[in-house]
Amino acid sequence: MRRFVLAVDRLAAVIARLAQGLAAAACLGCLALVSVAVAARYFFDRPQAWSDEVVGWLVVATVMFAVAEAQRRGEHIGVDWLVDRWTGARRNAVLGLGALSVAVVCAVLIYEGVETVRFTVMMGVKSNALPDVPLWAIQALVPIGAGLMLVVALAQLLRWAAGLPPVETEAGGPGRHE
């Protein structure tokens, strides 16, 4: 059982790190696009109306691809004063409850995100600024990001259920592999 849990944990770490790379690329894309848009507007008097919408999409991509790694490292929203002050079984129980809460929220985000995408596909909604881009492609980032974070939360729950201690970050918090 221990080997299985550790293998799942390693797989979740790889997935989260790959997604983090996509988040970094989206963030760099934001920087590049905003820089080009500012130059076009102020140096060439040619504002690009579509760039604001695309930057918004890239911000969503950045967040949704980064949340899994934040959860894995224990840097996601948590009740730090409980985790930091408690040790042993109480600390592990709080971490397990936190991972379970994240998993439930992820399941809701996946379900609602898929429903939103289905509705948008049914209605045929397209981008205002770029009419060739269907909005469902952008909205799909929400259930994808929630699915990535769900993988991490389930790996954390497996670890907890197997009685293994949570992985620790360099700062001493739950999250990163030893």
Side-chain angles (χ1 to χ4, degrees), residues 26-100:
C27 190
L28 290 173
C30 280
L31 174 66
L33 191 54
V34 167
S35 298
V36 168
V38 167
R41 178 181 302 267
Y42 295 109
F43 297 126
F44 302 106
D45 198 29
R46 299 267 190 229
Q48 306 296 314
W50 59 269
S51 65
D52 291 342
E53 189 168 346
V54 175
V55 166
W57 300 341
L58 289 172
V59 168
V60 172
T62 299
V63 170
M64 296 315 295
F65 287 134
V67 293
E69 181 64 6
Q71 174 66 27
R72 190 184 77 77
R73 290 183 179 189
E75 296 170 351
H76 208 254
I77 297 171
V79 186
D80 292 339
W81 71 269
L82 285 177
V83 174
D84 293 344
R85 285 171 177 73
W86 287 352
T87 59
R90 288 199 302 187
R91 181 174 188 268
N92 288 340
V94 168
L95 292 173
L97 181 61
L100 178 62

Side-chain angles (χ1 to χ4, degrees), residues 107-121 136 139-140 142-144:
V108 171
L109 281 172
I110 291 168
Y111 176 79
E112 292 299 332
V114 168
E115 289 301 311
T116 300
V117 167
R118 283 185 183 158
F119 179 77
T120 304
V121 168
W136 69 262
Q139 293 170 338
V142 173
I144 290 169

